[in-house]
Amino acid sequence: MEGQVSSAAENAQVRPMAVADLVQVLEIAAGLPDAPHWPQSAYIKALDPAASPRRIALVAVGSSSAVSGFAAASLVPPQAELETIAVAAEFQRQGLGRRLFDALVDELREAGVREVVLEVRAGNRTAHSFYRSLGFGEVGMRRAYYTEPVDDAVLMRLRLGQM
Ligand SMILES: CC(C)(COP(=O)(O)OP(=O)(O)OC[C@H]1O[C@@H](n2cnc3c(N)ncnc32)[C@H](O)[C@@H]1OP(=O)(O)O)[C@@H](O)C(=O)NCCC(=O)NCCS
């Protein structure tokens, strides 16, 4: 019924990732075969404001404060690379991925980013559809870029344009 609709995205808050979130972030990634599986040290580096390149990492948290998704991008303005975005399986397809990405774009714009690029496994059709829904277009392909299993990398780009 209208007015009673509640989705993960509506209930979620998006905020910067903190070291205290990493146990949950690693758990979500471990449960998703298609998510990049960064070691904890890579996330800790991503949270270091002095690291180069600079990274922005965000988490989505639900009403119980549990982490339900996360995203990270590296920045070399005017370009940024979306390095990872993942939503826990039970919260997928409820608008949370889009919500995380929109929040990330707000921060990227503030940092002077005008274009976001990414690489995605050709076989990851869900991610491909997701990125296309966000406005990304294909700009290239790297043959057999990924291993275990071998797969092509599709390169995608989104121009953020003027605000
Ligand atoms: C990709 C991912 C982050 C999307 O998160 P999500 O919260 O489920 O996405 P949203 O609900 O915001 O979906 C936004 C749009 O993306 C597209 N989309 C998302 N999941 C899709 C699917 N399974 N099939 C087709 N299209 C899909 C749709 O257009 C959707 O809009 P709609 O629901 O109104 O049709 C999530 O599926 C995920 O964590 N996958 C595993 C990790 C991964 O592959 N990450 C990307 C590589 S780093």
Side-chain angles (χ1 to χ4, degrees), residues 16-163:
M17 189 185 289
V19 172
D21 297 320
L22 293 184
V23 169
Q24 292 179 84
V25 165
L26 286 163
E27 207 173 282
I28 291 171
L32 298 169
D34 288 328
H37 295 118
W38 290 8
Q40 182 162 330
S41 57
Y43 287 105
I44 287 173
K45 194 171 167 202
L47 299 181
D48 177 358
S52 181
R54 184 185 156 208
R55 286 188 166 81
I56 292 177
L58 303 176
V59 289
V61 292
S63 41
S64 65
S65 297
V67 175
S68 41
F70 60 91
S74 61
L75 287 66
V76 184
Q79 195 178 68
E81 180 178 354
L82 177 60
E83 296 180 304
T84 182
I85 184 161
V87 170
E90 64 268 39
F91 297 114
Q92 286 182 10
R93 214 64 200 267
Q94 297 175 53
L96 210 49
R98 176 181 288 274
R99 177 84 196 281
L100 269 165
F101 184 74
D102 287 348
L104 192 62
V105 163
D106 287 347
E107 299 227 7
L108 294 176
R109 280 188 198 277
E110 261 183 47
V113 168
R114 292 291 167 261
E115 145 176 310
V116 184
V117 295
L118 62 83
E119 286 157 5
V120 59
R121 276 183 180 271
N124 188 349
R125 302 314 302 170
T126 295
H128 205 263
S129 300
F130 172 66
Y131 294 138
R132 286 201 72 91
S133 83
L134 298 176
F136 280 86
E138 286 182 27
V139 289
M141 170 92 84
R142 292 199 175 118
R143 296 274 171 213
Y145 179 76
Y146 293 105
T147 55
E148 296 177 29
V150 173
D151 201 352
D152 300 333
V154 178
L155 313 182
M156 302 184 86
R157 179 176 66 195
L158 174 68
R159 289 215 166 95
L160 299 183
Q162 306 296 320
M163 279 285 281

